[in-house]
Amino acid sequence: MTTHKDNAAANDGLTHFDATGQAHMVDVGSKNETHRIAIASGVIRMKAETLAIITSGTAKKGDVLGIARIAAIMGAKRTSDLIPLCHPLALTRVTVDFAVNEANASVTCTAQVETFGKTGVEMEALTAVQIGLLTIYDMCKAVDRGMVMSDVRVEEKHGGKSGSWSTTDGSLSAP
């Protein structure tokens, strides 16, 4: 029987492929349940006029950031429906914040996702950010089709066997 470690070694650490290169859902059954947290962020840049519509609350479709927050939370909850090999998780907390930067005519979305489980929540945090940014685009595309989403990334993660990781130092620390 091929073990998880054998699969990872045979595929340069890519755990979603077995020893023969076939895609599979990673077996997390033997992992310990721990408190797992992931924080992700991303930016949408737009015309200054578009940002003014968002901040003034005059968008024709309603409260852009309020609706984007709800959409982001829903996205985190539905990640396993969107990403084929993600495990369905019982999320214990999802927070979504938006920071408006008028000087750069941009909005940064930051999502923090938590669970107590056997696998991490990085994908849920990334999905929340992407869905939040896409919702802003959808609600404002009638006035600005040139908006650009970028810089989507995991900022930090905590929990599990690999411990904590942060973009500030790029290192792992023991749990």
Side-chain angles (χ1 to χ4, degrees), residues 62-159:
D63 175 8
V64 174
L65 298 183
I67 293 168
R69 178 175 290 107
I70 297 301
I73 293 167
M74 290 173 64
K77 292 167 52 175
R78 300 290 305 267
T79 298
S80 66
D81 291 334
L82 300 169
I83 311 295
L85 300 176
C86 281
H87 292 84
L89 301 177
L91 303 180
T92 57
R93 182 173 188 228
V94 178
T95 62
V96 178
D97 294 304
F98 294 100
V100 173
N101 184 327
E102 291 183 12
N104 292 334
S106 65
V107 176
T108 299
C109 176
T110 303
Q112 179 170 323
V113 180
E114 299 182 33
T115 192
F116 188 82
K118 295 180 177 235
T119 190
V121 287
E122 296 96 277
M123 294 305 298
E124 287 73 12
L126 288 165
T127 300
V129 168
Q130 289 283 54
I131 297 297
L133 297 176
L134 285 167
T135 301
I136 292 170
Y137 184 93
D138 179 54
M139 294 188 70
C140 298
K141 69 182 183 269
V143 296
D144 188 356
R145 294 196 187 277
M147 291 176 279
V148 175
M149 293 164 269
S150 64
D151 304 318
V152 175
R153 65 184 191 166
V154 174
E155 297 284 346
E156 58 187 87
K157 60 89 51 194
H158 305 280

